[in-house]
């Protein structure tokens, strides 16, 4: 079992920045992948970004490339999402996700943290 706890969400004006954190606990492995997804009201959950255990591989949705940066600190079992130049369309509940491998479905999900960007 892996538990994920997100933090750092909030209200910010367009153009502003937020940093989300996701702390993982439990049986984590050294070939895992951690990622962020988001779900806006009335929309399906969508992929935002993911990072390999080594940090050498990072993937981004086109909508956030150049504005969001994912990173991780394995000593703290924590992944971060730095969000810059935020837009109202970034408003959503952001979920941290964990999988034991570098491919396939995610095995565990956090409870989500709300990000609201005002225009």
């Amino acid at each position: 079992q892996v538990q994920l706890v997100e933090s750092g969400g909030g209200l910010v004006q367009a153009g502003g920045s937020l940093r989300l954190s996701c702390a993982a606990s439990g049986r984590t492995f050294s070939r895992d992948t951690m990622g962020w997804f988001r779900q806006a009201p009335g929309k399906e959950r969508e992929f935002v970004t993911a990072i390999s255990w080594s940090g050498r591989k990072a993937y981004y949705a086109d909508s956030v490339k150049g504005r969001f940066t994912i990173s991780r600190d394995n000593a703290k079992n924590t992944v971060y999402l730095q969000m810059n130049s935020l837009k109202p369309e970034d408003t959503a509940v952001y979920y941290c996700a964990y999988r034991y491998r570098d491919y396939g479905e995610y095995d565990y999900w956090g409870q989500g943290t709300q990000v609201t960007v005002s225009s």
Side-chain angles (χ1 to χ4, degrees):
Q1 285 276 10
V2 174
Q3 294 77 41
L4 303 171
V5 179
E6 302 104 332
S7 60
L11 174 64
V12 64
Q13 288 188 331
S17 298
L18 279 176
R19 188 193 195 204
L20 305 183
S21 300
C22 173
S25 60
R27 294 196 64 186
T28 59
F29 290 88
S30 61
R31 293 193 65 178
D32 64 21
T33 300
M34 295 188 74
W36 290 94
F37 290 72
R38 66 187 182 186
Q39 187 168 19
K43 295 186 177 181
E44 293 188 353
R45 185 169 59 192
E46 64 174 2
F47 170 79
V48 176
T49 180
I51 189 168
S52 64
W53 184 87
S54 67
R56 288 195 290 266
K57 296 180 181 179
Y59 309 91
Y60 296 91
D62 288 342
S63 58
V64 306
K65 279 181 182 176
R67 300 188 297 121
F68 290 12
T69 302
I70 190 171
S71 62
R72 65 188 295 169
D73 183 341
N74 290 334
K76 297 180 179 179
N77 278 343
T78 299
V79 65
Y80 304 97
L81 179 60
Q82 178 66 43
M83 304 185 293
N84 299 328
S85 302
L86 284 161
K87 304 175 181 180
E89 51 263 43
D90 294 318
T91 295
V93 177
Y94 284 70
Y95 296 92
C96 178
Y98 178 94
R99 65 185 181 200
Y100 287 115
R101 297 158 298 278
D102 57 4
Y103 60 91
E105 298 294 321
Y106 283 83
D107 301 292
Y108 299 100
W109 295 84
Q111 81 287 352
T113 185
Q114 177 71 46
V115 171
T116 303
V117 184
S118 63
S119 57

